[in-house]
Amino acid sequence: MDKIETVQKEMIAAMKAKDGERKETLTLLLSALKAKAKDKREPLTEEEENTIILKEIKQAEESLAGAKKAGRSDLIDMNERRITALMEFAPKQMDEGEIKQIIADVLRQLEIEKPEAKDKGNIMKNLMPRVKGKADGGLVNRLVGELMK
């Protein structure tokens, strides 16, 4: 079952449970997934679905940050619930240990024993396709940067 069907079923369940906020969040996610599929004119790949879900999560996190800055507790609560609902559909994120293992594999593949700042671009170019959608880019960048110290 693809994500569109899963989200539709969850949205129907939210409607039956009279959970308006969850229903609205899932409606927005479903709309984004369907719009991308319509533009593409064929079913989405799992990676494309995950990219859309992660984009929606990032937007909610940005809204949450703005709400915290403004001290709006109502918007803070709403965005936290929205993030929680969206996280159910997000791909499992890699932890630091898994990312470090992939970094080590890339370094072996590139035959780099002691990475230097000049190697970072080449390392990231080979590393990011392996972790895209599965790990936070900022965390990956930080871990690679730590190796160069």
Side-chain angles (χ1 to χ4, degrees):
M1 180 182 322
D2 66 354
K3 290 269 199 277
I4 290 176
E5 292 172 8
T6 305
V7 172
Q8 280 178 325
K9 287 184 179 181
E10 288 296 318
M11 187 179 72
I12 290 168
M15 286 175 9
K16 288 179 181 177
K18 301 204 186 314
D19 186 348
E21 208 167 272
R22 179 174 168 78
K23 182 222 166 246
E24 183 180 329
T25 297
L26 297 178
T27 301
L28 292 171
L29 176 58
L30 184 61
S31 175
L33 290 167
K34 284 184 173 182
K36 179 68 174 179
K38 185 177 179 183
D39 288 346
K40 189 178 170 194
R41 295 189 176 155
E42 61 184 55
L44 298 175
T45 64
E46 185 176 347
E47 184 176 316
E48 290 169 327
E49 291 172 339
N50 290 338
T51 300
I52 292 167
I53 294 166
L54 293 173
K55 181 181 173 192
E56 292 290 319
I57 291 171
K58 185 175 182 179
Q59 288 174 343
E61 288 172 342
E62 289 170 357
S63 295
L64 177 62
K68 285 182 177 177
K69 194 179 237 183
R72 297 277 312 268
S73 62
D74 57 331
L75 294 178
I76 292 171
D77 293 341
M78 180 189 77
N79 282 301
E80 286 174 344
R81 287 191 296 271
R82 185 170 176 222
I83 291 168
T84 301
L86 292 169
M87 290 300 283
E88 293 176 29
F89 303 99
K92 178 189 169 289
Q93 295 292 296
M94 295 178 157
D95 62 22
E96 282 192 32
E98 292 170 311
I99 297 169
K100 286 179 180 178
Q101 180 61 47
I102 293 175
I103 292 171
D105 291 344
V106 168
L107 291 176
R108 273 194 297 278
Q109 176 188 343
L110 296 175
E111 298 176 358
I112 298 174
E113 289 182 31
K114 179 116 175 71
E116 299 177 17
K118 65 180 179 143
D119 300 321
K120 188 172 185 178
N122 194 25
I123 293 168
M124 294 300 280
K125 183 175 92 175
N126 287 278
L127 177 63
M128 289 311 290
R130 294 186 183 189
V131 299
K132 185 177 181 184
K134 300 175 198 162
D136 177 53
L139 176 61
V140 173
N141 190 32
R142 182 177 58 83
L143 293 174
V144 171
E146 287 174 2
L147 290 174
M148 302 196 183
K149 291 181 181 174

